[in-house]
């Protein structure tokens, strides 16, 4: 931790968006670029992190700042590379891979995952392959191309949030569905759905405190990334 070096936190409108000002000086990224958020809503969220700091600054309590840095320094220079990396999650999307049909888990997956996946396909005009077992089957090239185009149309800040969600959920479908969710509680429901197998195992064999704590941290990270992406949308 370092001692707090500023008194006032304000938000200024600058070319390209909004920038947090600490005693009138604009915040910069780790890479030295001006940390300019694309929306006032995200700018306010970034400013709130700085306002919450006490006498000492705790870097761990500035996760949105870190995501903004990543969006500017890493995603914006090459969004196509990020999009291509995310297509790998569509190729092996958790919601597409089910247990064998004769296993009880399969029925639960069908009940919970199939409506989510069907709604996603309808919204994007695509069809994805369902797989029983662990043997990989390729997804249709047309579906992957449509998803890549959707990703490339996103602002780098939004794309950074989607990438974080997809990695946590092992599911691009879940990440994009959370981004597009119409109701406030939907992202949490989507996260809980993608954790179905973990919950199934916990119900069968009992809950492990450490595993539950790890899942709670991942849930918080997923919801934060979702909020970051949604705040970044114009």
């Amino acid at each position: 931790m370092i001692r707090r070096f500023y008194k006032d936190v304000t938000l200024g409108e600058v070319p390209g968006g909004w920038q947090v000002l600490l005693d009138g000086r604009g915040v910069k990224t780790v890479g030295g670029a001006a940390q300019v958020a694309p929306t006032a809503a995200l700018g306010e969220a970034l400013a709130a992190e700085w306002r919450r700091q006490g006498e000492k600054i705790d870097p761990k309590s500035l996760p949105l700042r870190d995501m903004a840095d990543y969006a500017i320094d890493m995603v914006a220079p090459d969004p196509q590379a990020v999009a291509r990396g995310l297509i790998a999650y569509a190729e092996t999307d958790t919601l597409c891979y089910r247990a064998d049909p004769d296993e009880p888990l399969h029925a639960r997956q069908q009940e919970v995952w199939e409506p989510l996946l069907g709604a996603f396909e309808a919204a994007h005009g695509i069809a994805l392959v369902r797989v029983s077992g662990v043997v990989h089957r390729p997804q249709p090239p047309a579906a992957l191309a449509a998803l890549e185009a959707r990703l490339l149309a996103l602002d780098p800040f939004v794309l950074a949030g989607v990438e974080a969600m997809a990695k946590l959920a092992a599911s691009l479908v879940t990440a994009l569905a959370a981004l597009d969710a119409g109701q406030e509680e939907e992202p949490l429901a989507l996260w809980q759905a993608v954790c179905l197998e973990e919950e199934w195992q916990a119900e069968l064999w009992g809950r492990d405190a450490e595993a539950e704590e790890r899942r709670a941290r991942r849930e918080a990270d997923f919801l934060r990334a979702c909020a970051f992406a949604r705040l970044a949308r114009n």
Side-chain angles (χ1 to χ4, degrees), residues 29-52:
T29 69
V30 172
Q35 192 194 75
V36 178
T39 66
L42 180 57
E44 287 289 357
L46 291 165
E49 285 189 335
W50 288 103
R51 292 189 185 107
R52 285 195 293 268

Side-chain angles (χ1 to χ4, degrees), residues 106-126:
H106 184 270
R108 179 83 69 88
Q109 291 170 330
Q110 286 291 109
E111 177 187 357
V112 177
W113 289 353
E114 193 57 31
L116 298 176
L117 191 53
F120 181 84
E121 290 172 315
H124 288 80
I126 62 174

Side-chain angles (χ1 to χ4, degrees), residues 82-102:
V82 176
R84 287 200 192 105
L86 282 171
I87 292 302
Y89 287 92
E91 282 275 18
T92 58
D93 201 287
T94 294
L95 300 191
C96 292
Y97 279 76
R98 319 282 172 83
D100 290 327
D102 59 347

